Amino acid sequence: MGKLWGSRFEAQTDALMEQFQDSIGFDQRLYRADVLGSRAYAHALHRAGLLTADECQAIEHGLDQVLQEFEARAFRIAKTDEDIHTAVERRLSELVGSAAGKLHTGRSRNDQVATDTRLYLLEQIDLLDRLLSEVQGAITIRAEAHLGVIMPGYTHLQPAQPILFSHWLMAYFWMLQRDRDRLADSRKRTSVLPLGASALAGNGFPIDCDAVAAELGFGDTARNSLDAVSDRDFVGEFLFSAALLQTHLSRLAEDLIIWSTPSFGFIEIDEQYATGSSIMPQKRNPDALELLRGKTGRMNGNLVTILTVLKGTPSAYNKDFQEDKEPLFDAVDTLRLALPVTAGVIATMRVRHRRMEEALDDGMLATELADYLVTKGVPFRESHHLVGQVVRLAEARGSTLRTLALEAYRGIDSRFGEDLYGVLDHKQAVLRRSVPCGTSPSAVKAQIERAKALLGHDAGSI
Amino acid sequence: MGKLWGSRFEAQTDALMEQFQDSIGFDQRLYRADVLGSRAYAHALHRAGLLTADECQAIEHGLDQVLQEFEARAFRIAKTDEDIHTAVERRLSELVGSAAGKLHTGRSRNDQVATDTRLYLLEQIDLLDRLLSEVQGAITIRAEAHLGVIMPGYTHLQPAQPILFSHWLMAYFWMLQRDRDRLADSRKRTSVLPLGASALAGNGFPIDCDAVAAELGFGDTARNSLDAVSDRDFVGEFLFSAALLQTHLSRLAEDLIIWSTPSFGFIEIDEQYATGSSIMPQKRNPDALELLRGKTGRMNGNLVTILTVLKGTPSAYNKDFQEDKEPLFDAVDTLRLALPVTAGVIATMRVRHRRMEEALDDGMLATELADYLVTKGVPFRESHHLVGQVVRLAEARGSTLRTLALEAYRGIDSRFGEDLYGVLDHKQAVLRRSVPCGTSPSAVKAQIERAKALLGHDAGSI
Amino acid sequence: MGKLWGSRFEAQTDALMEQFQDSIGFDQRLYRADVLGSRAYAHALHRAGLLTADECQAIEHGLDQVLQEFEARAFRIAKTDEDIHTAVERRLSELVGSAAGKLHTGRSRNDQVATDTRLYLLEQIDLLDRLLSEVQGAITIRAEAHLGVIMPGYTHLQPAQPILFSHWLMAYFWMLQRDRDRLADSRKRTSVLPLGASALAGNGFPIDCDAVAAELGFGDTARNSLDAVSDRDFVGEFLFSAALLQTHLSRLAEDLIIWSTPSFGFIEIDEQYATGSSIMPQKRNPDALELLRGKTGRMNGNLVTILTVLKGTPSAYNKDFQEDKEPLFDAVDTLRLALPVTAGVIATMRVRHRRMEEALDDGMLATELADYLVTKGVPFRESHHLVGQVVRLAEARGSTLRTLALEAYRGIDSRFGEDLYGVLDHKQAVLRRSVPCGTSPSAVKAQIERAKALLGHDAGSI
Amino acid sequence: MGKLWGSRFEAQTDALMEQFQDSIGFDQRLYRADVLGSRAYAHALHRAGLLTADECQAIEHGLDQVLQEFEARAFRIAKTDEDIHTAVERRLSELVGSAAGKLHTGRSRNDQVATDTRLYLLEQIDLLDRLLSEVQGAITIRAEAHLGVIMPGYTHLQPAQPILFSHWLMAYFWMLQRDRDRLADSRKRTSVLPLGASALAGNGFPIDCDAVAAELGFGDTARNSLDAVSDRDFVGEFLFSAALLQTHLSRLAEDLIIWSTPSFGFIEIDEQYATGSSIMPQKRNPDALELLRGKTGRMNGNLVTILTVLKGTPSAYNKDFQEDKEPLFDAVDTLRLALPVTAGVIATMRVRHRRMEEALDDGMLATELADYLVTKGVPFRESHHLVGQVVRLAEARGSTLRTLALEAYRGIDSRFGEDLYGVLDHKQAVLRRSVPCGTSPSAVKAQIERAKALLGHDAGSI
């Protein structure tokens, strides 16, 4: 058997052209979706009177066999199998004969491949959501375990104000929570059955699309067949969500890479996630983190790929759309490794409280001093200005805010009093920030509780 | 008054550095959001006992004045106004004196700029949603008006099967509907108040964030201050939605550009949306369409910009994030023109039924012939094969499917009968595709009804 | 033997982490470059007195054996072979024992992988340059063969002025010539030997880098070891050149896709480069062209990948850089198919002169008319204006420029005379454009001659 | 006067459409190029007998006046001036009457805008090349001044081996040198005159394109008119070079941001390039560096914009190409600030030798120890393994390589001798790396000399 579509052709396809256009090399992984979709379509044909009960059963058994062969890695791709749909149909016809030839009644590869890709992605989204919740679980556990630890908070990578280490950790919890929300939103638009659209104009036979959707677990059916065969929004939306998720991981990685340098020494990542050097025997490089950061490249690349592919294509199906799959698969594969690696890094890293504490300098209490003046009735803009002068004076004298003498303070403004030294305390500074999103222990504890509620039973099981 | 933050500095900022870092050139447009946010914050400070009733009222009046000056284009930017926040605060202090200095109590530009940007975007999303619905309205009206028109449906830009012109139009309705859904989803994540996060660690004063959120119309408040000051996901999400929306417009444009060539002649766009040539007097170029297609470039570029900016930045605020605004504003501005232009093009284009009908050839009825054999009991794969041979034979003989003699058909397969000529009809082909997403008049009519229900009262008013 | 770098580690690498970081899956293809680079380095170590003649010879033989095993597909990747460098070194040590352990003296994987990647790319650039010249050859042959054919020239996809079909073809010749120039320019910067940079600080042994460069065919040696190990500019530059090249192919494809529609019918691509439909037996889709267009997506994606990876990485080597290879390999693989497919499409497509001629309408002679008035002394801007009125009048009367009566012309401007009808000729219009870049037959012939000179002996051999 | 092209139109352009398509808002800056190009074209028309000497002179004077008005900011844009070409032509016709109407003879906006853009870019490339050399000059001066300073070299941001601070600096010199080379290469392909291509088919009058090219300073003339009007490769190539250049700046910025943290303290950037905080009075944020890093976003975005615009456009001119200008201008503007800011940061930053020295730990001498064993005849792979054990033992004992007792060493391998302590010296480690690209003072001095030779007289003048 040659190509499915070859009977009107006289010439053979050019050999390089075959390589150029065949997709079996990467779309094989859709085998399960293709078999499930075909089974549901067989049922629909049967209900529409286009397959007898016997034919339908034969096809079902044949498809079961095909699925088993794939799962046992026993399925043999033939040279003419240009894509997974052809491969399954070819094998089915070997197994069940002419009934297989009826399976394509009213169905085109255009609606079939769209159905398969959506089925595949729905399953992957669910898996990735679980992996995300496991990273969140690891974050929550560490955040709860280290609640007492104070560290420098940075903006512009310069010391800003003291914060709880757990507060820093939880910032990533909420980023990942948005990633989960975005995946859930995109899932709704993925869960729309295109089968029934046929090539572009709709199925010419009375197929019950709602029943097929129900059998396959789709939440809705397509409204317009032209749109259905060319809609790759769901791929783009997934790839965007994946790119933003990886961007979050890249920021986490950046923090930890910097904090793993001896000059910071806040964190030590576990050897399981580090590698050595081929030439420098002392090295322990945070490779896992660098890859989490670097893989943002491919994620942004995958997103640009699909957007470029779609730009300016005429309506309905174009062959260009075959280019949707490799970026999609690459993004899924990357995340299926990146997320557990992230969870592992977080769960196993050593947190060096001492080094964090040592890095708490007086400078990051300057805001406390300005707020102190506010309580004395000084407008904040003025108090900010006065404390700026204090900072400058302290630097000039080689003092810190805590060692600068009271007269020096009073020389700048007489509203400074002895009690100013009381506010120059990192713990106090943390305690004061008790708004719900703030870094005070009570607020962070409430964050953690809310996080655990979101994770449900998962949190405990990690 | 110099820079807000300058008192600890000895040196002046380098002049080129000032140009490099100032954002007032582009963030001016946030003036309204900045004033509203400041007013709400003043109320919060008053509730927290940090402003007296008089101070609060003075600030309110001052802010009203600032807003009026902006709206009357009478606001004068000073040389030291590096950004809109500084400009508003500077002017307010001129107007109300030292009370203005209290407005920054516990508030940082980090949470302020995030609040302003979100407020701005929420308003723009609502506006864009309305503009989208107007494009949808124009589509629906034309789809309803031309329901009887049959045209060639294309896949791979080759004639495939006959479809209704209205079916083609409605495909774009559903693409835009997904765009609206995506904007609505991203709106939820935009509608989260970051105020209260202060610089990074949370406000040190007992500000009631829920009350501020309620006053400003935010749906939720931020959970974590570190995240709140550096979360630019909402910008990325909007830019992605904008890029995909523009991609849809580019596909519409591509169809119409091709159909506007004399060789097709299916469509004539109105002169209001065309331009001439500086050298060729006969020209009428579909510039509006080419720009709709070409502007996908800047939309993809804007998305890549924000993703590149965010990649690998340390947690909390970094100056890099200032680079979020220009792509955001550019995307908003582009869509605010592109959408009404699209609506106008659709509402005013001439649809040339005759040319569409003339392009309906027999080839696109081949599937009808294959389906005909299916009704005679031939498995589809076999019937496809047989019809392929028919097509080849017809081509060889210079015939079409309708002019090919019955014997010729029967020479290929004896199951062909006289009745085959009955299915070779474009109108029949359209009628047969009556699944809900199909191109049959009844199905398309149902699509249009559903569309009108979604648009509600809007549809009528266009 | 475990990992090369493992002796200071106590813990095992996490299993998922291994998958996450191993590159052997894709960097295997560098085997030849790795062997050649190692051989040249062995010579350098020998010259530096760090290998005896016997050891050097043993290593040479061992490397020959490794190379043969790879080329015979007999090389067995071991579980601990995390990358190609480890694999080659591991196998070499099995073959030649402890001498293999000396090969890494002073060499790091950092300079080794950079060397291998450059060696690989130099070879691929040369191959791609040849494939490009073959596409140019196919263009030149067709351009020469069809020199007499006039077709409509388009701007904005609207008929503009008549041109030679060969002129259109040759436009692509020059785009590809720029692509070759860019590749040649980027080749200079690729041909710089990084070996000797070691991990980051330079080789601690007196290696003669110039000799290594000469042996391996590099044009220069790196100036700075820190830069040498982290310079991926050459990858970026290649990926940009590849993206722009694919963009040119996408434009060629777009022209041909549109011209292959029955409404145009200017071109018929050969069946070798077309495919059929799984459901519509009549279909012959220009898949090759759609893929040439669609693959611009992955090319742009690959470029964005490397730029994103590099952004904001600290100096010297970071693991992120491992992400350079997959986009590079993908771009090479894509072009190695896309270019011969393009050459094949061009060489085999049918050019339908008749359909081109039929599409030549009078409108595209309007510029001739304006130029005619210029020869009567009318300033061009005025003549353009007058001809615009002529066009409008002709349309209103259902005439064309050639059938519009002289009085009608003279009613608009009395300078129109009987001789105006003489310039309304497509052939004349083409002949007049005889500036060197113009579409006149003599100018296009000169273009072709110049092209053949550039191709040298290649042109004849295609 | 209305639009140039309007006489065949009946309808007015839609008001929003005008905003959508007008380019005068951004292409004004091409005024100088437009005037110069028009002057050269007037000369060509005169030589071709299409302008009298008087007309030519009138046009010249008129263009001089237009130029002066622009440079004096006295030029008034009219409502109908849709682009800079229209504006100049309109004003010229006010100044010189009907002769102005002859200037467009044989010239189209298609070849005119391409000429203007190239002229503009050629000038900008030359300017940017000079700005680049000034950054290189600043690097070279600092590298020479600090030649004795040893600091930790990092890979994976972990301490690797000691290097000279000047070696680190010079790594950026060579990156920028490649940027200059790339700009020079792209300049060749920019310096090709498209004038003469007219709308798409070539000028119908005997214009001497070589003379125009010579007058305007172009190195070559276009080969093919269709290509000439749609070739935007030079824009893409510039935007790629700009993106890679900004990527280099982002890496420099990343190093300096990290080194400016108190935990590192290697560098202090001057206050001229830092800013404070609106709320934290102690802050001195390295804003210049963060912007250098963040602006990589817009550069990558601009590149993606042009590539997306060009993808899949039909041959010859399309309105889409108008979208080339804003990304081009944005990239030029950004670099014109970013480069001097970079030079300023480098020239003024404080280098804290002491902190660099304090960060030199024993671990980064492990390679010295492995190389020491090599000199004792141990194969490197084995010596790497043994030193790995030493490192582990030292860590376990709380020792460093220098404090670990000789017996401990000999317990691991008896080939360790008393002399091992002699190699454990950071200065020695630097001195040993004397290959041309290495970090030894002599090699770095040679690098600097070569750099100064490349910069020529420039270096002295900074």
Side-chain angles (χ1 to χ4, degrees), chain B residues 154-161 254 257-258 260-264 277-287 290 308-311 313 363-364 366-367 370 380-381 384 387-388 391, chain C residues 154-161 254 257-258 260-264 277-287 290 308-311 313 363-364 366-367 370 380-381 384 387-388 391:
Chain B
Y154 297 85
T155 59
H156 306 257
L157 211 61
Q158 289 292 320
Q161 293 175 345
E254 177 81 358
I257 288 169
I258 294 172
S260 298
T261 60
S263 293
F264 275 85
S277 156
S278 66
I279 190 164
M280 296 173 290
Q282 86 283 6
K283 279 285 228 156
R284 218 174 52 185
N285 298 320
D287 286 44
E290 294 169 278
T308 307
V309 167
L310 296 177
K311 178 242 169 181
T313 45
M364 65 185 80
T367 315
F380 182 80
R381 188 54 63 221
H384 179 286
V387 177
V391 168
Chain C
Y154 297 84
T155 59
H156 306 257
L157 211 62
Q158 289 293 320
Q161 294 175 345
E254 177 79 359
I257 288 169
I258 293 172
S260 299
T261 60
S263 293
F264 276 85
S277 155
S278 67
I279 190 164
M280 297 173 289
Q282 88 282 8
K283 278 285 228 154
R284 219 176 52 185
N285 298 321
D287 286 43
E290 295 169 278
T308 309
V309 167
L310 296 178
K311 178 241 170 180
T313 45
M364 66 185 81
T367 316
F380 182 80
R381 188 55 63 222
H384 179 286
V387 176
V391 168

Side-chain angles (χ1 to χ4, degrees), chain C residues 103-223:
Chain C
L103 187 55
H104 236 295
T105 310
R107 184 170 67 155
S108 160
R109 279 189 299 185
N110 294 355
D111 55 345
Q112 189 177 0
V113 68
T115 302
D116 289 6
T117 310
R118 286 172 184 262
L119 262 180
Y120 163 83
L121 184 53
L122 288 170
E123 198 178 347
Q124 298 303 318
I125 286 175
D126 294 342
L127 173 57
L128 293 172
D129 184 66
R130 189 165 61 68
L131 295 177
L132 271 162
S133 76
E134 287 173 9
V135 182
Q136 288 180 310
I139 287 172
T140 309
I141 286 169
R142 297 304 301 259
E144 196 159 26
H146 298 276
L147 241 180
V149 181
I150 299 179
M151 71 178 302
Y154 297 84
T155 59
H156 306 257
L157 211 62
Q158 289 293 320
Q161 294 175 345
I163 59 168
L164 291 190
F165 170 69
S166 300
H167 191 54
W168 169 81
L169 256 178
M170 290 304 294
Y172 289 98
F173 181 96
W174 301 110
M175 294 184 213
L176 299 181
Q177 188 62 28
R178 284 195 298 277
D179 292 321
R180 292 178 69 187
D181 287 349
R182 262 185 293 273
L183 282 179
D185 284 343
S186 75
R187 196 192 191 287
K188 291 180 301 188
R189 284 178 285 273
T190 306
S191 188
V192 177
L193 180 74
L195 207 66
S198 198
L200 79 155
N203 202 314
F205 298 96
I207 294 301
D208 181 347
C209 296
D210 288 331
V212 175
E215 179 171 345
L216 291 171
F218 280 93
D220 204 348
T221 56
R223 301 273 171 266

Side-chain angles (χ1 to χ4, degrees), chain A residues 22-170:
Chain A
D22 285 2
S23 57
I24 187 73
F26 52 83
D27 67 13
Q28 275 186 64
R29 71 163 72 188
L30 296 177
Y31 70 87
R32 204 177 116 81
D34 199 68
V35 165
L36 294 182
S38 288
R39 183 187 293 156
Y41 193 65
H43 298 158
L45 288 173
H46 174 45
R47 277 189 300 267
L50 291 152
L51 285 180
T52 65
D54 284 355
E55 287 169 335
C56 186
Q57 200 173 23
I59 286 173
E60 278 203 64
H61 289 164
L63 288 170
D64 284 349
Q65 168 81 10
V66 167
L67 187 56
Q68 278 167 37
E69 289 180 10
F70 268 109
E71 306 220 308
R73 294 170 190 261
F75 190 95
R76 301 272 291 275
I77 304 288
K79 226 177 143 10
T80 52
D81 292 347
E82 56 187 338
D83 56 27
I84 183 65
H85 325 295
T86 306
V88 169
E89 184 177 347
R90 189 259 316 149
R91 181 71 185 127
L92 184 67
S93 87
E94 290 166 6
L95 293 168
V96 308
S98 71
K102 297 192 170 180
L103 187 55
H104 235 295
T105 310
R107 183 171 68 156
S108 160
R109 279 188 299 186
N110 294 354
D111 56 344
Q112 188 177 0
V113 67
T115 302
D116 289 6
T117 310
R118 285 171 185 263
L119 262 180
Y120 163 81
L121 184 53
L122 287 170
E123 198 177 347
Q124 300 303 318
I125 287 174
D126 294 342
L127 172 57
L128 293 173
D129 184 67
R130 189 167 59 70
L131 295 178
L132 272 162
S133 75
E134 287 173 10
V135 181
Q136 289 180 310
I139 287 171
T140 310
I141 286 169
R142 296 305 302 258
E144 197 159 23
H146 298 276
L147 241 180
V149 180
I150 299 180
M151 71 178 303
Y154 296 85
T155 61
H156 307 259
L157 211 62
Q158 290 292 320
Q161 293 175 346
I163 59 169
L164 290 190
F165 170 69
S166 300
H167 191 53
W168 168 81
L169 257 178
M170 289 304 293

Side-chain angles (χ1 to χ4, degrees), chain B residues 199-385:
Chain B
L200 79 155
N203 202 314
F205 299 95
I207 294 302
D208 181 347
C209 297
D210 288 331
V212 176
E215 179 171 345
L216 292 171
F218 280 93
D220 204 348
T221 56
R223 300 273 172 266
N224 180 298
S225 56
L226 257 87
D227 180 37
V229 294
S230 75
D231 173 14
R232 294 297 184 272
D233 287 9
F234 70 100
V235 176
E237 204 168 341
F238 175 77
L239 290 176
F240 168 70
S241 300
L244 201 46
L245 161 50
Q246 193 74 40
T247 299
H248 294 151
L249 301 182
S250 82
R251 299 189 67 196
L252 174 69
E254 177 81 358
D255 278 343
L256 293 177
I257 288 169
I258 294 172
W259 294 355
S260 298
T261 60
S263 293
F264 275 85
F266 292 175
I267 284 292
E268 196 178 313
I269 77 160
D270 195 79
E271 288 192 349
Q272 297 171 67
Y273 299 101
T275 68
S277 156
S278 66
I279 190 164
M280 296 173 290
Q282 86 283 6
K283 279 285 228 156
R284 218 174 52 185
N285 298 320
D287 286 44
L289 300 172
E290 294 169 278
L291 288 171
L292 288 174
R293 182 178 62 188
K295 284 185 188 289
T296 318
R298 67 201 310 143
M299 293 311 219
N300 289 1
N302 288 331
L303 174 58
V304 166
T305 297
I306 189 69
L307 287 172
T308 307
V309 167
L310 296 177
K311 178 242 169 181
T313 45
S315 57
Y317 185 79
N318 301 280
K319 184 73 165 191
D320 316 53
F321 299 158
Q322 178 171 302
E323 295 285 309
D324 63 343
K325 264 165 232 68
E326 285 163 286
L328 175 61
F329 296 161
D330 183 69
V332 166
D333 290 347
T334 300
L335 289 176
R336 286 177 63 171
L337 286 174
L339 289 169
V341 165
T342 303
V345 166
I346 291 170
T348 60
M349 67 185 178
R350 262 166 297 290
V351 179
R352 295 176 147 177
H353 307 182
R354 189 77 54 84
R355 295 295 303 270
M356 291 177 177
E357 276 161 37
E358 287 165 4
L360 293 171
D361 65 30
D362 276 21
M364 65 185 80
L365 298 169
T367 315
E368 305 316 298
L369 216 48
D371 287 355
Y372 160 86
L373 286 180
V374 163
T375 65
K376 304 277 178 181
V378 185
F380 182 80
R381 188 54 63 221
E382 187 187 347
S383 76
H384 179 286
H385 188 75

